[in-house]
Amino acid sequence: MRRFTGPGPSDRPLPEHARGPGNLPAELNRFIGRDDELAALARRLESARLVTLTGLGGVGKSRLAAHGAAILQDRFCDGVWLVELDSLREPHLLDLTVAEALAAADRGGRPVRAALGEHLAGRELLLVLDGYDHLVEACAELTLELLRRAPGLRVLAAGRRPLGIPGEHVVPLAPMAADDAAALFADRAASVVAGFTVEASDEVAVAELCRRLDGIPLALELAAVRLRALSVNQVLHRLDDRFRLLTGGARGTLPRHRTLRTAIGWSHELCTPGERLLWARLSVFAGQFDLEAVEYVCAGPELPGEEVLDVVAELVAQSVLVREETAAGVRYRMLDTVRAYGADWLDATGDTARLRRRHRDWYLGLATWCELDWFSPRQAEIAARIEAELPNLRVALEQSLASADDTHLGQYLAGTLWFYWVGCGRLSEGRHWLDRALELDSDHDEARLKALWVTGHVAVLQGDTVGALGALQECSEKAERTGNATAAAYALHRTGCLALVCDDLPRAEELLRGALARYREIGELSGTALMAQLALAMTVAFKEELADAVRLGEEVREVCEDHGERWTLAYAQFVLAYAAWSQGDGGRARALLEESLAVDHAFGDLLGAVLALELLALVTLGEGEAEEAAVLQGAAGRIWPSVGLPLFGSRHYSRLHALCEERARRRLGDEAYEGALRAGGRLDLDAAVARILRPAHRSPAPRRTVRIAPPATNEPAASPSASGGETAG
């Protein structure tokens, strides 16, 4: 890490040019005070590899960690990366969550932690772990292992207690100093009441308010909200009443802990019975949630459904709920401390188990609806919705798999989300849940069959032939035995895809044609059935039967356009682009690939995107731009570890990459090729897509297409170096 010289002005936003690599979110309001703490934090991070900010809930640990990390961002050449763990309830997903934040998912069947260690080994970056208190043991174990394997890694953790591992430097965070607390209260009050300023007549009351609240930022912000209806002196008077009423907590509890609980309890006291009831019931949600979910899960005789909206609005007004505009529409969330307070009240009512079941049932229904509506013009909306609901879907999966009576629900839910696992770049997590679900016994054949064929599907895409074969064989045998024609067709389809990636083209063609016949028999018209036709198209294309490949691809494209479907359409465009490139039409290939890549990027589909990048590299080479082709190969190489085994280990898929590499090296020389490859490896998917679709770095002159014939199908590949996508099935 470069030497840090000081925190800079803490109450001003960082200029955009100061932001380096990483994923820190922009700050939404002013950061007030804490200059001494920021300087101390910087000094500790200069000498220690693990620094932990500790303190009671609401004292400002998360905000200070994020702001301090942002100031230090340019000191780490590989950036600052934030992992927020508040909404993660399952310790076994910790590795995946950290890997996703770092864009370093597992490589097929490899453990995610091993991939994380490899990803971090040669990097110099700051990892910020926030909200780990409920995962402290798992987080401590992971942090220790990563620090041992990655000498350039530094970790800044923020929690209520230390991680307790060797080398940890603990920085206790005290409440704000009097002046800073008053400044924070005034700033937040001005955001609630337009034109608010602390007049001379209010200075004493504000100082007393801050003193009574011990300078705890969350308590100050809750108090500021009350200025919508009360004066500062009225707030102080009511706060004094509530301190006397809610001085609770067990003996020996730190006074500051009781003070924070009093501040939240005071807000609770000011709520109506209906608002308190909804607050408690909302504690079963994780992360964000929407009004429809609240109405289903939380309504009942004591809280009629038609009243829920008004009660939600009141909780938003009181800052118990936070309203957020997202890609999935208006959603709500609760601060973790506020949620924990509500959960205690829900437990006291004895209603927790029932509310959790209702929560699970809602998300089972949501996943079912989304799967049914996936093959439609609403795909983008569905993808955004499921992405936003992921923390709650995880809770529903965990709830289902925790009970022997509900195992089939977990198997069904894990299988139903296939379109999200595959279509939105979540293969690793999907495989995790599917494997967990299939480890458990269930008497519900349909649910298990669904989980089996989806597992086979995901395993094929990850290049895990052994895992795919086991799941698909069990699915096929059980489907034939129970007469489940749909599951039998799915199993046959995915077995054909397995033959394709294992380079057995005659068997792949036979199985895929058989699967298509079965789909026609049962009247299956869906993205799944169309993907079988595209897998067949790639099979015959690899056999150099290009006319048949084009016919199959065009049929799929027409059906997708008729139904307003985009995701499968992107794969059809890839198949047609491969055929166009094979026939020497580089211009058409590029146009199709750019359309395909734009859709893949919009959905977050790493599979489709990386396939498009690999073929675009060949097209670019044919246009005479060998250096740019190598850059694109480097960008693809960065993505493959998040997908699975490079190009499935398939000779037929790998030969495209090998051909491009061989000819680009020949034109550039080894040193220039490797340099361009490294430059591409520094591009994330967003940057790579922007480079292709908005190529400002490239000459505006017309492209010159050079014919590059594909090698014969029996030509061995130099090395399998990329992974596959849905065109493998």
Side-chain angles (χ1 to χ4, degrees):
M1 186 182 80
R2 301 178 185 84
R3 184 171 180 79
F4 175 66
T5 57
S10 63
D11 61 347
R12 292 196 296 272
L14 293 173
E16 285 300 316
H17 63 76
R19 298 187 184 278
N23 66 343
L24 289 177
E27 296 182 307
L28 300 180
N29 53 23
R30 284 206 314 152
F31 184 90
I32 306 294
R34 301 288 201 188
D35 288 343
D36 291 343
E37 291 91 335
L38 287 167
L41 189 63
R43 288 194 298 271
R44 289 293 183 94
L45 281 170
E46 191 170 323
S47 59
R49 296 187 59 214
L50 170 61
V51 177
T52 303
L53 277 172
T54 62
L56 69 158
V59 79
K61 302 181 296 294
S62 298
R63 185 66 189 273
L64 180 65
H67 188 77
I71 292 174
L72 294 170
Q73 194 160 18
D74 64 347
R75 312 301 176 187
F76 297 87
C77 61
D78 292 303
V80 175
W81 300 84
L82 172 65
V83 184
E84 294 176 302
L85 299 171
D86 283 336
S87 64
L88 182 67
R89 306 289 180 86
E90 305 82 12
H92 54 83
L93 289 178
L94 176 63
D95 291 10
L96 271 172
T97 301
V98 175
E100 287 168 3
L102 290 167
D106 62 343
R107 201 185 285 264
R110 292 183 56 217
V112 180
R113 186 167 297 188
L116 263 176
E118 179 180 316
H119 177 81
L120 292 170
R123 287 176 164 82
E124 182 178 314
L125 59 79
L126 176 63
L127 180 64
V128 183
L129 300 175
D130 183 35
Y132 60 80
D133 300 279
H134 54 303
L135 305 166
V136 64
E137 292 183 7
C139 200
E141 179 186 347
L142 175 62
T143 301
L144 182 60
E145 183 169 341
L146 293 181
L147 286 170
R148 285 173 171 168
R149 297 185 62 179
L153 172 67
R154 295 188 185 232
V155 177
L156 172 58
R160 297 183 186 181
R161 59 177 180 173
L163 288 170
I165 59 179
E168 181 179 31
H169 285 232
V170 178
V171 179
L173 186 59
M176 300 184 80
D179 289 346
D180 286 346
L184 177 67
F185 177 80
D187 182 82
R188 301 307 187 250
S191 70
V192 172
V193 179
F196 175 87
T197 57
V198 179
E199 303 293 342
S201 58
D202 291 327
E203 287 179 356
V204 173
V206 169
E208 178 66 7
L209 181 69
C210 294
R211 186 185 71 79
R212 294 286 184 91
L213 292 177
D214 278 347
I216 299 171
L218 176 58
L220 294 168
E221 295 191 359
L222 287 171
V225 169
R226 292 301 169 191
L227 295 184
R228 289 193 178 107
L230 305 172
S231 69
V232 175
N233 276 296
Q234 286 174 319
V235 170
L236 181 60
H237 174 72
R238 288 174 178 263
L239 182 63
D240 186 56
D241 290 340
R242 294 318 182 272
F243 277 147
R244 288 198 296 267
L245 179 64
L246 296 173
T247 56
R251 283 190 176 91
T253 302
L254 290 174
R256 291 168 186 156
H257 289 179
R258 296 198 299 268
T259 300
L260 177 61
R261 187 167 182 82
T262 297
I264 299 174
W266 167 58
S267 289
H268 192 265
E269 273 289 294
L270 293 177
C271 289
T272 65
E275 290 163 6
R276 295 178 199 169
L277 180 61
L278 183 58
W279 181 344
R281 290 179 174 179
L282 288 172
S283 66
V284 299
F285 289 97
Q288 298 177 335
F289 46 88
D290 64 12
L291 182 62
E292 288 179 310
V294 175
E295 289 173 332
Y296 177 87
V297 175
C298 300
E302 312 92 335
L303 184 63
E306 61 271 16
E307 296 179 11
V308 169
L309 174 58
D310 290 337
V311 181
V312 166
E314 283 302 311
L315 292 179
V316 171
Q318 297 178 54
S319 294
V320 174
L321 279 181
V322 179
R323 178 187 183 276
E324 296 181 337
E325 296 278 355
T326 73
V330 174
R331 300 178 64 76
Y332 307 93
R333 65 177 174 85
M334 300 180 85
L335 297 175
D336 185 59
T337 307
V338 175
R339 179 185 292 108
Y341 191 92
D344 289 343
W345 276 78
L346 186 62
D347 286 343
T349 68
D351 208 19
T352 300
R354 185 182 70 86
L355 265 293
R356 286 179 176 168
R357 286 194 299 271
R358 288 185 65 81
H359 175 277
R360 178 205 61 204
D361 291 346
W362 170 261
Y363 286 99
L364 278 168
L366 176 68
T368 300
W369 171 80
C370 287
E371 182 193 29
L372 291 172
D373 216 29
W374 177 248
F375 187 65
S376 78
R378 291 174 292 280
Q379 278 184 330
E381 172 191 339
I382 291 168
R385 178 74 180 273
I386 295 295
E387 180 71 22
E389 299 288 10
L390 184 57
N392 284 300
L393 288 164
R394 287 169 170 169
V395 170
L397 282 161
E398 194 67 53
Q399 173 83 2
S400 300
L401 297 177
S403 167
D405 293 336
D406 295 337
T407 296
H408 65 289
L409 298 178
Q411 292 173 342
Y412 170 81
L413 182 53
T416 296
L417 289 170
W418 69 265
F419 63 92
Y420 180 66
W421 309 138
V422 172
C424 301
R426 294 278 185 172
L427 287 178
S428 296
E429 178 160 356
R431 183 69 182 278
H432 171 85
W433 287 113
L434 290 159
D435 285 349
R436 278 196 64 195
L438 290 173
E439 287 171 358
L440 304 174
D441 294 327
S442 168
D443 294 331
H444 294 70
D445 289 335
E446 261 193 53
R448 184 169 183 85
L449 283 170
K450 187 166 196 174
L452 283 167
W453 75 255
V454 175
T455 298
H457 182 188
V458 171
V460 167
L461 298 176
Q462 291 182 313
D464 179 9
T465 57
V466 174
L469 185 61
L472 293 172
Q473 282 184 340
E474 181 183 344
C475 182
S476 180
E477 292 168 3
K478 187 181 288 285
E480 297 293 352
R481 188 169 62 251
T482 60
N484 190 318
T486 301
Y490 288 157
L492 188 63
H493 169 187
R494 301 305 169 188
T495 306
C497 296
L498 182 60
L500 170 59
V501 301
C502 291
D503 301 314
D504 189 347
L505 299 184
R507 177 166 169 74
E509 182 174 1
E510 176 188 355
L511 293 172
L512 291 167
R513 290 192 187 278
L516 287 171
R518 291 202 180 197
Y519 284 142
R520 286 191 292 270
E521 289 173 8
I522 62 177
E524 177 85 3
L525 177 60
S526 64
T528 298
L530 293 178
M531 291 305 295
Q533 186 160 326
L534 293 177
L536 177 60
M538 283 306 297
T539 302
V540 298
F542 286 150
K543 294 173 65 179
E544 298 186 345
E545 298 171 10
L546 297 177
D548 198 18
V550 170
R551 177 185 60 79
L552 292 166
E554 289 288 1
E555 286 178 0
V556 171
R557 184 161 76 163
E558 288 175 10
V559 174
C560 290
E561 289 174 345
D562 287 345
H563 288 78
E565 204 274 4
R566 298 173 61 213
W567 177 69
T568 307
L569 175 62
Y571 284 99
Q573 289 168 323
F574 174 84
V575 171
L576 294 171
Y578 176 83
W581 170 79
S582 299
Q583 294 167 328
D585 191 348
R588 174 168 168 74
R590 174 172 288 280
L592 289 164
L593 287 169
E594 288 182 354
E595 292 175 11
S596 176
L597 182 61
V599 173
D600 294 329
H601 182 237
F603 280 99
D605 182 1
L606 299 181
L607 297 164
V610 75
L611 278 178
L613 284 175
E614 289 285 3
L615 189 49
L616 273 165
L618 262 176
V619 172
T620 302
L621 184 67
E623 293 165 349
E625 298 187 47
E627 183 177 358
E628 184 65 16
V631 169
L632 295 182
Q633 284 199 307
R638 174 171 173 166
I639 296 171
W640 287 121
S642 297
V643 176
L645 180 66
L647 284 167
F648 315 112
S650 162
R651 174 169 55 85
H652 289 92
Y653 277 94
S654 298
R655 66 191 178 87
L656 304 177
H657 182 94
L659 175 65
C660 186
E661 177 179 346
E662 175 195 349
R663 297 184 179 179
R665 280 185 184 276
R666 188 187 308 155
R667 293 186 192 180
L668 296 172
D670 287 344
E671 185 176 350
Y673 173 82
E674 294 291 346
L677 201 68
R678 287 193 297 272
R682 291 191 287 270
L683 301 176
D684 60 15
L685 180 58
D686 291 343
V689 171
R691 186 181 185 94
I692 292 164
L693 301 185
R694 297 186 295 277
H697 67 286
R698 301 175 68 179
S699 169
R703 295 186 175 100
R704 175 176 60 88
T705 300
V706 178
R707 176 76 169 98
I708 300 182
T713 54
N714 60 358
E715 178 181 321
S719 63
S721 55
S723 172
E726 266 291 319
T727 45

